[in-house]
Amino acid sequence: RSRSSFLVPMSYSLRNASRSWFLGEVEVNALAPCDATFEVGSSTAVLGPSGSGKSTLLHVAALLDSPSSGGVWHGDDCVSGLDDDARSAFRLKHVGFVHQTYPMVSSLSALENVALPALFAGLSRDEARRNAGSLLADLGLGELGPRDVRTLSGGERQRVAIARALVNDPVVVFADEPTAALDTATGDLVLDLLFGAVGSAALVVASHDERVADRADRVLRLKDGRLS
Ligand code: ADP
Ligand code: MG
């Protein structure tokens, strides 16, 4: 699992990016204009209390939501400005996202769930399964592959979800409160896996768990939608 720095830019950034909502006539600034750069091989914790804008920042940065102003840049490309199809294709190939509550397709095995983004990215069924299998093995999760996802524990599901976020070898991986639903020991295992995988991507973890801050190379703090 290696990426040539000549082919794929190594930085991913928010430039003056904001997100506001209109509730009737009232404009709510969930994210004030902010700048942040995430470098491949480094990890960033985004900390802040509930409602401070962590999920908003992650969703905008991951192209799951559009900025109200400013943009999201991958090297010299403004990827938030791509048309819908190109943006989806970029996201599928280069952006991993780990949700708080690890949604899975319950009719598929763990390995098949991990293989899905590779299949969507255009790999054959065999190639996608092979990539998923070797990734699970690399991550020490090989024995989970054949399991019916309905029988996995929360911690096992979250580790499978991390593998799924990595299967297309993304440049950036976002995780939104990945330990919020887990007990302390299980949360530590999940963080071990997530931070262990950082070498091949930029990692951005939103949390109000100070353990995340301890592990990250850098901490950004959000308060009322403002980064400090
Ligand atoms: P956090 O993840 O830190 O808990 P969020 O990013 O979810 O914070 O929310 C930040 C602010 O944006 C909150 O005030 C929240 O109510 C508001 N918000 C988030 N999503 C929406 C939405 N779809 N419509 C209106 N307001 C929203
Ligand atoms: Mg949130």
Side-chain angles (χ1 to χ4, degrees), residues 40-55:
V40 166
S42 87
S43 57
T44 303
V46 178
L47 298 197
S50 182
S52 60
K54 301 182 299 295
S55 295

Side-chain angles (χ1 to χ4, degrees), residues 20 28 48 50 52 67-68 92 102 105 107 123 130 132 144 147 149 155 160 166 197 204-205 208 224:
S20 53
V28 179
S50 182
S52 60
S68 303
L92 188 57
Y102 25 88
V105 180
S107 56
L123 269 60
R130 222 172 15 247
L144 297 181
R147 294 269 298 276
V149 294
V160 170
L166 294 173
V204 184
V205 185
H208 45 242
D224 299 331

Side-chain angles (χ1 to χ4, degrees), residues 3 8 11 19 29 39 50 86 99 111 121 132 158 164 209 222:
R3 189 187 299 106
V8 181
S11 78
R19 182 63 164 108
N29 250 314
E39 302 285 349
S50 182
H99 296 268
L111 182 133
Q158 191 58 301
R164 183 177 55 186
D209 183 343
L222 264 175

Side-chain angles (χ1 to χ4, degrees), residues 9-77:
M10 297 280 116
S11 78
Y12 194 86
S13 51
L14 291 169
R15 296 194 196 162
N16 209 30
S18 73
R19 182 63 164 108
S20 53
W21 307 96
F22 276 96
L23 298 175
E25 298 287 295
V26 182
E27 187 175 8
V28 179
N29 250 314
L31 184 66
C34 72
D35 289 293
T37 297
F38 309 114
E39 302 285 349
V40 166
S42 87
S43 57
T44 303
V46 178
L47 298 197
S50 182
S52 60
K54 301 182 299 295
S55 295
T56 302
L57 186 152
L58 260 59
H59 290 167
V60 167
L63 309 177
L64 295 169
D65 188 10
S66 298
S68 303
S69 70
V72 182
W73 293 72
H74 177 226
D76 295 329
D77 299 322

Side-chain angles (χ1 to χ4, degrees), residues 146-211:
R147 294 269 298 276
D148 178 334
V149 294
R150 287 168 297 195
T151 70
L152 298 177
S153 68
E156 287 169 338
R157 283 172 79 102
Q158 191 58 301
R159 277 170 281 171
V160 170
I162 291 167
R164 183 177 55 186
L166 294 173
V167 74
N168 287 338
D169 202 13
V171 295
V172 60
V173 175
F174 297 96
D176 194 359
E177 307 214 31
T179 61
L182 304 174
D183 63 74
T184 306
T186 309
D188 278 330
L189 284 175
V190 162
L191 293 179
D192 286 345
L193 183 63
L194 201 51
F195 282 85
V198 75
S200 61
L203 176 65
V204 184
V205 185
S207 187
H208 45 242
D209 183 343
E210 289 289 334
R211 286 178 304 168

